[in-house]
Amino acid sequence: MRARGLALGTLLLLLCPAQVSGCWRHGLAVGDMVGAEPGLAGRGRPDPVGSAIRGLGAKVARARPVFSQTCVWYGECGIASGDKRYNCKYSGPPKPLPKDGYDLVQELCPGFFYDNVSLCCDVQQLQTLKTNLQLPLQFLSRCPSCFYNLMNLFCELTCSPRQSQFLNVTATEDYVDPVTNQTKTNVEELQYYIGESFANAMYNACRDVEAPSSNDKALGLLCGKDAEACNATNWIEYMFNKDNGQAPFTILPIFSDLPLRGMEPMNNATKGCNEAVDEVTGPCSCQDCSAVCGPRPQPPPPPAPWILFGLDAMYVIMWITYMAFLLVFFGAFFAVWCYRKRYFVSEYTPIDSNIAYSVNASDKGEASCCDQLSAAFEGGLRRLFARWGAFCVRNPGCVIFFSLVFIGVCSLGLMFVQVTTNPIDLWSAPSSQARQEREYFDTHFGPFFRTEQLIIQAPRTKKHTYEPYPSGADVPFGPPLDKEILHQVLDLQTAIENITALYNNQTVTLQDLCLAPLSPYNSNCTIMSVLNYFQNSHSVLDHSVQDDFYVYADYHTHFLYCVRAPASLNDTSLLHDPCLGTFGGPVFPWLVLGGYDDQNYNNATALVITFPVNNYYNNTEMLQRAQAWEREFINFVKNYKNPNLTISFMAERSIEDELNRESHSDIFTIAISYSIMFVYISIALGHIKSCSRLLVDSKISLGIAGILIVLSSVACSLGIFSYIGLPLTLIVIEVIPFLVLAVGVDNIFILVQTYQRDERLHGETLDQQVGRVLGEVAPSMFLSSFSETVAFFLGALSVMPAVHTFSLFAGMAVFIDFLLQITCFVSLLGLDIKRQENNRLDVLCCVRGADDGSGVQATESCLFQFFKNSYSPLLLKDWMRPIVIALFVGILSFSIAVLDKVEIGLDQSLSMPSDSYVIDYFRSLSKYLHAGPPVYFVLEEGHNYTTLQGQNLVCGGMGCNNDSLVQQLFNAAQLDSYTRIGFAPSSWIDDYFDWVKPQSSCCRVFNTTEQFCNASVADPACVRCRPLTPEGRLRPQGEDFMKFLPMFLSDNPNPKCGKGGHAAYGSAVNLLDNNTSVGATYFMTYHTVLKTSADFIDAMKKAQLIARNITEMMGIEGNQYRVFPYSVFYVFYEQYLTIIDNTIFNLGVSLGAIFLVTLVLLGCDLWAAVIVCVTIAMILVNMFGVMWLWGISLNAVSLVNLVMSCGISVEFCSHITRAFTVSTKGNRVGRAEEALSHMGSSVFSGITLTKFGGIVVLAFAKSQIFQIFYFRMYLAMVLLGATHGLIFLPVLLSYIGPSINKAKISTTQEQYQGTERERLLNF
């Protein structure tokens, strides 16, 4: 499910706060600071500054020579560009600040608020500075000392009364004021002498500051390059560079700690990020200052592989164990052989019919109590089934009628059948932790979005190179970033937007369904596409600035800027086009581009377009509308033709659609498989003695009747559970007919072939003969069927829905199949025998055949004779048996060695048909993936956010606990290769604290109504929510916290305030009791790239571990709430956390049930029950060996097959073992040979050949699930079952089989006197 989770994850980025604008992504333009009005939108996550900049002036000129106070400018002059103005040149002394500017200077540069407040700036310059400080305030004030130093830099530049000491004007131009007609001078260029120590200290204080809403360092947004490449000098140089598109004039920073050219560099005192700025604010948080955190946490070392002698330890151990076994076994074998050869007749010499009880010393003497009890139980079962069989043959009409009534009543339940196709119901139990957490998330925050996604390549287009003008290195661009290709992709995207569907005679469009996070203010659909950098417009894509000779800026320029600043409203190039998506949110490059290296997005080889569609919780009508549109989307893309584009795609409904198509596409293959088995059964049951009796001796009609009984038992099982409302699953429909057919056919062959070999006694009627035959074989049938039934019903204790449902249906079907076989089939067998004795044709029973006088005689089939005369004697020869034991123990040793190497999980592509378009999408997703699925850390309802202690347990900014929720997630992101948490989390509470602080322009209310006033509203009646006092600068608590939180959650981001929480956190916070308390909330981050099932499983385990640690560190373990992680794939992958335990439990319970039933039904023969279970356990272990060799992973499907193989193995083992226990041959070898001859042929012709023919056909199925989990596993279970049951088990019994039951000897000889079995006793 990993693809679905990843595809849906792209949508969540919209909910992150809108990113920093171009100004702050690529540098804080000094022109904006000193006299420009920015038209930018930005987002960040700052912390309260408090009165961080208080006392600036007192520390401005420490230990510096005395200079006269002289300005270089004062006031604002002419327009530089747009709404940006130059400052006016002024070389006089500082001027007293008017009274109406006192509040501003106290707020911005309180260090200058002394004496008569004489400065080199007027009120307008201070107002411009305040306006333009809003965005850096939001980004950097989360670390007060960082913002303190930055404010120091710009306060000194803008207003310092000693400007002339470190500012040198180098270019001016005259300007005539249109109002006063006075001639003034614009400052067009100047030099700013900055102390190198100051610059480095400012950089060091800011370099760790996070911009968590953009998953980047703040300097990565301010430096014009990646944070890793940023340093003190290039950061300041970029901020002061006119070419960044924001500064109205150029400022040239000159770095020196020593006086230079008569200038004294500005080298004010700075604050380290681990220092408090004043008594109100503390040091920066651990997130924003590594010095506060201490050393970076290190992940635990990966577990060392278990190595012995340079090889895998399990291989070495099992090899040594196997060698030791061979040494002991063959040593003992030769020792015993020599001993017996010397002193008495060897048990291993050829068996002579005259040698009876020759070497079984333990067999001599009187029968024990256990022997007598076993014989009595065996005799009782035999007599019971004999009487029952005789009754069924005497009264076929009555038995068949009531059987049909029973079948009909049970099958009527199919009218109420429910089929579950929802993957969640198939793989996740309603009581499972992940299922409950998913329900909690959906209930409180709404279900995860539906996703329609395309991955587009341009295979016919070559790379091209962009040559920036006037300077710069050449930049390669990948094939899909060719402009013509982008135009074609935009046409495709627009066509998809215009798709319409019909649902209940109503038109459904994407606009009706799509996610619009800022609706109703902005109703544009969210489309995560690189074309949204160009506002989904052909004209913007074609926009360029050029002349006849050069192209100065075009779509290349804009693209390179937008991948750095996806939320910018101005790309700062000559184009000045916005990057922000038309839906009001950023488009992150790692979501819309694929196949690039590192962060070189221009090298992308694929484009990713995602259409998020609203999902609906318990709203079937809206859900079906969305599915109707998705159906049209799929049809459109399937039929879209463009030779220049290769498109891989998937819709939300694609997986379920393809699963349904897969089920239908393989119906023909499955039908052929079952047809082959049916035809074989119908033909193989008959024993043709001559051509003249071909149509008389054939048993096609009986075979068909047996098949119908098997199918009827399946229908009865489905019907019974449908009555009680238990839904079917695809696994039940696909697997149970195979299982019941295996069990049923085996019993049919044993019953029919035993009768065919039997000879009617003198004076014995047909019903007595059939009853006697049934009395002989029914206990064996009952043993196998009842063992499987009990094993399956106990397997239903599993918490895995697929295994639980399968076990219930399988147990019921096997039990009903046995009941119908000893009732209806016995009656039908009696009727068929009468037909044969009356010389009537098979199928056409009204027609008599030619009478050759031979009649019905007891006969031995060719297969029986082969087993009796060739195979059994060869297998049990003295030299063959040790080879068999050595070979099978070797295979077992190998299987044990690789047992822990079987992969866990299910590759999602395997669930798709081999010709599915979704497989191509999965391949592309794996190849071009650059982001993992989102993960939400949910803090359940019950936490108190209104207290300082409660806030500190959660938040991640200044003053928060170093082990808070957000801080621990941040720490986890630092260890992404271990924790698989890729990014620092978005934190609504930290953004809320930034939004509500009085220094910010975000939180304002109308002074008359106290209603919220958006920052974009220019109204004098709008005032700060909280006063600009020391108390007001503190975090809101109590009623204040709840008073402004609803405003934050309803505020849309805008150029004046990028911290509005509507788009980012509208669904992340539950407000309760009429907005008076906070309920459940979540904190979102992303997993790292996850490709394999092992990656997904490990990511879920690590997220759960992190959540448990957070719950423990917050000290809320004893409370009624906790922290838990949620991602869309958890509900599918949770099963793998316990799959090993579930496998051991289910197989252990099945083996235990088989042991108990075998023990009871074999007359308390403990050793025989142990041997049966040991052989079945070997088959199961060897199944794991085959799974490793054949690349079959352990999951719910393979676990169902393992449980089924446990049941089928009973068929291979129990009949042989029981035949061995009832044999009265004189030694173990003889008894093993008799059992193998008598039962082996029926087992081989019944279950082995029947299943083998049907299984081979499954290899041609289109479904990869069928090819891998059914063809491969079915073939393995049949071959392993047959080889263990027909090769290993007889040899094992010949060595260590249970001793003969002396109490059965006389009764057996009396029972079979004068019958075919009497000859078998001495063959």
Side-chain angles (χ1 to χ4, degrees), residues 1053-1108:
N1054 59 77
K1056 302 261 184 193
C1057 172
K1059 301 295 280 187
H1062 183 196
Y1065 305 115
S1067 63
V1069 182
N1070 283 163
L1071 297 180
L1072 307 176
D1073 304 326
N1074 197 25
N1075 296 341
T1076 59
S1077 64
V1078 177
T1081 67
Y1082 67 67
F1083 300 81
M1084 188 193 74
T1085 181
Y1086 291 86
H1087 282 301
T1088 54
V1089 175
L1090 309 176
K1091 294 187 177 181
T1092 65
S1093 291
D1095 292 342
F1096 282 91
I1097 295 167
D1098 186 55
M1100 178 171 56
K1101 289 168 64 175
K1102 295 296 173 51
Q1104 292 177 346
L1105 175 63
I1106 292 168
R1108 287 195 297 270

Side-chain angles (χ1 to χ4, degrees), residues 871-883:
Y871 176 70
S872 299
L874 175 64
L875 177 67
L876 296 170
K877 285 188 178 296
D878 292 349
W879 59 269
M880 179 64 76
R881 291 186 296 158
I883 295 175

Side-chain angles (χ1 to χ4, degrees), residues 944-988:
N944 187 357
Y945 296 89
T946 62
T947 66
L948 184 63
Q949 179 184 6
Q951 294 168 2
N952 288 341
L953 288 173
V954 176
C955 63
M958 183 198 67
C960 303
N961 295 351
N962 281 347
D963 58 0
S964 69
L965 184 153
V966 173
Q967 182 59 47
Q968 288 201 56
L969 293 180
F970 174 82
N971 292 340
Q974 303 299 303
L975 308 175
D976 55 345
S977 60
Y978 172 74
T979 63
R980 297 190 183 273
I981 299 296
F983 306 97
S986 59
S987 170
W988 65 268

Side-chain angles (χ1 to χ4, degrees), residues 491-747:
D491 289 335
L492 169 62
Q493 179 179 305
T494 304
I496 292 174
E497 291 183 72
N498 295 329
I499 291 175
T500 59
L502 287 178
Y503 175 75
N504 285 345
N505 295 323
Q506 295 180 346
T507 299
V508 182
T509 65
L510 179 63
Q511 187 68 49
D512 301 324
L513 308 167
C514 70
L515 175 69
L518 297 183
S519 178
Y521 307 101
N522 180 344
S523 59
N524 287 330
C525 288
T526 298
I527 301 176
M528 304 303 290
S529 165
V530 71
L531 279 313
N532 236 324
Y533 289 150
F534 307 94
Q535 285 66 59
N536 300 324
S537 166
H538 288 286
S539 60
V540 175
L541 183 58
D542 287 329
H543 186 199
S544 64
V545 176
Q546 61 186 57
D547 56 23
D548 294 338
F549 302 98
Y550 300 106
V551 176
Y552 301 102
D554 63 359
Y555 85 98
H556 295 99
T557 318
H558 187 65
F559 172 86
L560 293 173
Y561 178 84
C562 290
V563 295
R564 289 179 174 274
S568 172
L569 289 176
N570 186 331
D571 70 1
T572 73
S573 72
L574 296 176
L575 297 176
H576 298 292
D577 288 329
C579 297
L580 198 68
T582 57
F583 56 91
V587 177
F588 293 96
W590 41 277
L591 287 178
V592 298
L593 299 167
Y596 53 84
D597 56 296
D598 195 22
Q599 292 189 8
N600 300 312
Y601 303 113
N602 48 283
N603 288 331
T605 56
L607 306 179
V608 182
I609 301 179
T610 306
F611 298 87
V613 172
N614 283 314
N615 212 341
Y616 301 94
Y617 186 75
N618 292 334
N619 189 335
T620 306
E621 176 77 13
M622 293 301 296
L623 186 61
Q624 290 177 347
R625 285 166 58 87
Q627 291 174 337
W629 187 87
E630 288 172 350
R631 186 186 303 112
E632 294 302 320
F633 166 80
I634 293 171
N635 292 335
F636 173 83
V637 181
K638 277 185 176 180
N639 297 320
Y640 182 79
K641 304 296 181 185
N642 185 328
N644 297 320
L645 303 179
T646 299
I647 303 174
S648 305
F649 73 99
M650 190 184 80
E652 186 72 18
R653 62 175 294 160
S654 292
I655 291 180
E656 190 168 341
D657 285 350
E658 290 299 283
L659 286 174
N660 293 334
R661 184 176 73 86
E662 178 180 57
S663 301
H664 292 95
S665 66
D666 282 324
I667 288 178
F668 182 69
T669 304
I670 298 171
I672 293 177
S673 173
Y674 280 102
S675 298
I676 290 175
M677 291 188 283
F678 293 166
V679 170
Y680 167 78
I681 294 167
S682 301
I683 296 175
L685 272 182
H687 187 197
I688 314 301
K689 295 186 290 292
S690 65
C691 294
S692 61
R693 292 186 59 84
L694 173 64
L695 297 180
V696 175
D697 291 340
S698 68
K699 295 193 178 296
I700 295 175
S701 56
L702 184 64
I704 293 174
I707 293 168
L708 292 176
I709 285 175
V710 170
L711 297 180
S712 297
S713 66
V714 175
C716 289
S717 176
L718 303 184
I720 289 172
F721 286 109
S722 295
Y723 273 126
I724 62 177
L726 187 66
L728 291 175
T729 65
L730 293 177
I731 289 183
V732 168
I733 298 170
E734 293 163 351
V735 174
I736 287 185
F738 181 92
L739 168 67
V740 181
L741 193 62
V743 175
V745 167
D746 197 28
N747 291 340

Side-chain angles (χ1 to χ4, degrees), residues 45 143 241 256 270 274 309 346 420 441 447 457 522 571 643 646 862 911 928 1045 1101 1106 1139 1242 1286 1321:
R45 213 182 60 181
C143 178
N241 190 342
S256 175
T270 56
N274 59 342
F309 309 115
S346 173
T420 298
F441 186 91
Q457 303 167 66
N522 180 344
D571 70 1
T646 299
C862 296
S911 62
Y928 300 112
L1045 181 59
K1101 289 168 64 175
I1106 292 168
I1139 189 74
S1242 296
L1286 301 179
L1321 293 177

Side-chain angles (χ1 to χ4, degrees), residues 1 4 422-424 427-428 434 1100 1128-1136:
M1 304 311 297
R4 178 178 183 271
N422 187 344
I424 295 176
W427 309 121
S428 179
M1100 178 171 56
V1128 287
F1129 69 87
Y1130 287 0
V1131 74
F1132 303 104
Y1133 282 86
E1134 184 192 34
Q1135 58 177 308
Y1136 302 122

